[in-house]
Structures are given as C-alpha cells and as structure tokens.
Amino acid sequence: MDFDKEIKVLRFMQNYGDQLLEGIAAEDFCRQPVPGMNHPAWIIGHLATAADSHAGEAGGQPELHGWDKQFGFASELSSDLTDYPGKDELVKAWHDANDRFIDAVSSASPEVLAGPTRGPLGEMLPQVSDFLAFSLTAHTSLHLGQLSAWRRAVGMPRLF
C-alpha cells in the first residue's frame, strides 16, 4: 500500500506545528489559559508518543518508552514544567518519532497492513492500514488545532 499522500500531509502538518510553536516561550509550555486546556507540552509530547507508538503498529521499533504515563490517552495534565521534558526535547522527540513512523509505514508488510486494528478505534478503522492513514493525517491535525486554539487563548495571532 502506498502512503505517499498521507506522508506528505504529515510533513505539512509538522511544518505547520513548527510555525505554531514559534514565539511560544519554553516557560509558557505548561500554561493553561482555560482550566483543563491541553497545553503545548502535553500536545507535542502526545504527538511524539503517538507517532512513536504508531510506528510500532506498522512494524517499527518504538523508542519513547515510558512516555505514555505523561502523554498517553489517559494521562493526567500537569501545569508544572518540571513534570515534562523541555520544549526543545519535546519538539525533537516529535520530529524524530515522525521520521520513525514514516520509515515504518513506508516499509510495512502487506500482512501487517491487513491486520486488525487493536484498541478502541478498531471498530471504525478495522485494518491497521486504516488506522495508519488516520494517524498520519487526522490525529496530528486534531491536536494541532488544540495548539492553535491555545495560541488564540493566550493572545497570540492566528496563522490561518
């Protein structure tokens, strides 16, 4: 299966995410202008953790062991900067995880891609290939929308 278009979307969204992150000071990475709002540290850490995990779904080797506790689906949001890696480390982890994800998807075997999706999305995205297409495109877009809303909530200008 060819994921060229989806990979192009992920690269576009990563570039957009980098633009959204410009001007956000490292000390503001856990700022919550609205109670419970996902902040940049969690959003970028979650995207890195998801790309890393989803690389594993495609047959790659995840490297961000233990990040699920901080950034996984059921993780608890903290407003304490010391609970998270720093901004530069988070952004690098996200970029590196995207590279691993793309490599894994690009070399995934037909058998892996035809396998069943595990977890709660399996009903709507029954094959691994369906899940990977979602993860390469919509998942990142969804969370970067949260980052865009965060920017507006703290008084930063919109990009689009």
Side-chain angles (χ1 to χ4, degrees):
M1 178 170 203
D2 177 9
F3 285 100
D4 289 346
K5 288 183 179 6
E6 291 86 352
I7 290 169
K8 191 178 289 187
V9 170
L10 179 63
R11 288 294 186 206
F12 174 85
M13 294 311 298
Q14 180 178 302
N15 183 27
Y16 174 55
D18 290 343
Q19 292 174 44
L20 287 170
L21 291 167
E22 286 179 20
I24 299 175
E27 60 268 14
D28 287 334
F29 240 48
C30 287
R31 185 173 168 193
Q32 288 179 287
V34 176
M37 181 178 221
N38 289 340
H39 50 58
W42 187 88
I43 293 166
I44 299 305
H46 176 73
L47 289 174
T49 302
D52 189 64
S53 171
H54 300 168
E57 294 292 326
Q61 291 300 316
E63 295 182 15
L64 297 176
H65 307 291
W67 279 41
D68 273 347
K69 183 176 186 215
Q70 292 171 294
F71 303 113
F73 182 73
S75 60
E76 293 287 327
L77 200 61
S78 170
S79 60
D80 184 346
L81 276 173
T82 64
D83 288 337
Y84 299 101
K87 177 182 178 179
D88 291 341
E89 184 179 350
L90 287 167
V91 172
K92 182 177 182 347
W94 178 42
H95 287 196
D96 291 349
N98 280 341
D99 290 342
R100 286 191 303 279
F101 186 25
I102 288 168
D103 288 346
V105 166
S106 297
S107 61
S109 71
E111 294 78 25
V112 166
L113 296 175
T117 299
R118 296 178 295 194
L121 295 180
E123 187 173 313
M124 295 180 69
L125 303 167
Q127 287 190 321
V128 168
S129 60
D130 301 324
F131 174 75
L132 295 175
F134 161 79
S135 183
L136 287 164
T137 58
H139 183 257
T140 298
S141 300
L142 175 131
H143 289 293
L144 290 182
Q146 293 174 343
L147 185 57
S148 180
W150 181 93
R151 285 175 52 92
R152 297 302 296 273
V154 299
M156 295 180 77
R158 66 179 176 88
L159 297 184
F160 288 100

